[in-house]
Amino acid sequence: MTDPITAVLLRAAELTASGRARKAVELLGPVVAAHPHHAEAWGRLAAARLDAGDAGGALDAATRALALGVDAAWAHRVAALALSELGRHGEAAVAAREAVRAKPGEWRCQVTLAEVLAAAPEGDDAEAAGAARRAGELAPDEPRPYEVLGDIALRGGDRGTAEWAYRKALRLDPDADHARRNLARLTRQRSRRLSWRFPGRPSGRFSRRLPRGLSRRRGAPAAPTGAPPLGAERVLWRLLVRLAGVLAAGTLLLVLAGQSASGRWLGWGGIALLAVLAAVTVRTVGRVPRGGLRPVARLVRRRPMLALGTALLGAALLVTAGWTVAVVAGMATVQPLVPAGLCALLAMAVSVPGRLVLRHRRARGPAG
């Protein structure tokens, strides 16, 4: 049976990973008050406070956790990040080096050292870049070291290395928003320089000089070969949530209206509902880059929850559309809308947690 404190710590870790760090702080406050010598509780509180923006509180909690015997490398990492946010860059570098010294083979320690050195106004970019590269060697499948390396190179004016690092991060994680934004900014800057150097010829043969992997549409990065387009999965989840919500609410309203309205007016209501669903689809899918919908079938096959939600939503849409046609033709019942609404609700029940998992699947654990 799970210990009550352990259950609270696990719940706090889930809240922190899902972006609700303040809730985690509120949950952990009574625990550390009742058990002031519980090292892991102080460690979780330090991570939650750091994510909540309370750098001073995070530093105090990490110091307390370290004194109580929590993992030294982890405590030094949290302390280094907190000190960096407080502007105490020298102390942050010392704490980050202590973390590396405690666990030289841990990639997160190397990334922390690179981050705090890069954040210092007069930081050593060479040492920071070296730490980021070592982190990439220790964890070749993690995008974060390459994002940090790209930031360091960008600050030093090395645009070639920055672009390479951001593209590498995106190949590892197509949803790495930080790398995508910075790469898009670099592409826009490159386009402006070309336009200035070659006035009157902003496109054409000069646009073909953009590096491979960069889209020519709005400066957005293109998807790596064989991978779904950047943001396509996120857009699909968002579309599923919106369509399921609209369809569930619309069918409920039509069922209620069917208690008094005639079949003709219900038919107009069904047509209006289908028009709203079409408008939502067009608006949401418009955010996918050109050609980005081609691998959707492959993407859905790789995500069972996405496939289930899509199937439920498709069934609800088919029933609703068939009912609308039947009502326009003279049928006067709303019975088919009940299973359609239930399917829409089930699709929403699947899509909401699925979208949250996608949003936070790369979130860093509080003690990891």
Side-chain angles (χ1 to χ4, degrees):
M1 188 172 181
T2 305
D3 180 78
I5 297 181
T6 302
V8 173
L9 296 181
L10 291 174
R11 177 58 180 162
E14 294 173 358
L15 290 171
T16 304
S18 63
R20 292 178 287 174
R22 294 189 183 279
K23 291 288 186 182
V25 172
E26 295 174 2
L27 185 65
L28 290 167
V31 175
V32 295
H35 304 276
H37 300 292
H38 200 291
E40 187 178 355
W42 281 104
R44 296 286 182 184
L45 180 61
R49 284 177 172 174
L50 184 63
D51 282 359
D54 181 9
L59 178 60
D60 293 340
T63 303
R64 184 69 176 268
L66 182 62
L68 292 172
V70 80
D71 180 66
W74 177 83
H76 283 304
R77 283 200 298 117
V78 175
L81 294 173
L83 286 165
S84 181
E85 290 189 12
L86 291 171
R88 297 158 62 178
H89 300 291
E91 296 172 75
V94 171
R97 291 191 178 97
E98 285 296 324
V100 171
R101 186 175 294 111
K103 284 188 178 179
E106 171 57 57
W107 70 271
R108 293 180 179 85
C109 296
Q110 299 287 352
V111 164
T112 300
L113 177 59
E115 287 179 326
V116 300
L117 289 175
E122 299 179 358
D124 188 342
D125 284 353
E127 183 182 1
R133 291 184 185 277
R134 284 192 293 274
E137 294 170 358
L138 292 169
D141 296 329
E142 290 290 337
R144 183 57 183 161
Y146 298 99
E147 288 185 325
V148 175
L149 178 60
D151 293 345
I152 296 168
L154 189 60
R155 190 177 80 161
D158 186 354
R159 296 175 180 273
T161 300
E163 289 185 6
W164 172 85
Y166 291 140
R167 285 198 296 270
K168 177 72 172 179
L170 286 168
R171 283 196 294 270
L172 294 173
D173 180 12
D175 294 304
D177 291 334
H178 179 78
R180 183 172 65 254
R181 286 194 301 268
N182 282 359
L183 186 56
R185 186 178 68 176
L186 283 171
T187 305
R188 288 193 298 270
Q189 292 173 352
R190 179 191 293 268
S191 299
R192 285 196 294 268
R193 289 200 306 273
L194 287 175
S195 299
W196 178 81
R197 289 177 61 189
F198 305 103
R201 306 177 74 175
S203 57
R205 66 187 182 94
F206 293 108
S207 65
R208 293 194 292 272
R209 295 184 180 181
L210 291 176
R212 292 182 61 188
L214 297 184
S215 170
R216 298 185 181 91
R217 182 172 184 255
R218 300 180 187 175
T225 303
L230 298 181
E233 183 176 358
R234 183 167 59 253
V235 172
L236 288 177
W237 278 115
R238 182 178 299 141
L239 178 62
L240 190 57
V241 171
R242 292 177 177 178
L243 290 182
V246 171
L247 189 55
T251 52
L252 175 61
L253 290 175
L254 287 173
V255 169
L256 295 176
Q259 307 303 318
S260 58
S262 64
R264 179 181 177 184
W265 290 110
L266 286 177
W268 283 110
I271 293 173
L273 175 59
L274 294 175
V276 171
L277 293 171
V280 170
T281 301
V282 171
R283 180 181 178 85
T284 306
V285 173
R287 300 190 62 182
V288 180
R290 183 171 52 191
L293 292 177
R294 293 175 184 171
V296 162
R298 184 168 68 250
L299 179 60
V300 171
R301 284 198 300 270
R302 293 206 309 262
R303 300 287 188 267
M305 297 299 288
L306 184 59
L308 176 59
T310 303
L312 289 169
L313 180 63
L317 284 170
L318 286 175
V319 172
T320 304
W323 171 85
T324 301
V325 173
V327 169
V328 171
M331 186 180 73
T333 179
V334 293
Q335 292 296 331
L337 291 181
V338 176
L342 290 176
C343 286
L345 286 174
L346 289 174
M348 190 162 58
V350 168
S351 58
V352 170
R355 186 180 174 189
L356 291 176
V357 168
L358 172 66
R359 182 181 300 172
H360 301 296
R361 69 185 180 188
R362 287 288 179 179
R364 181 181 56 190

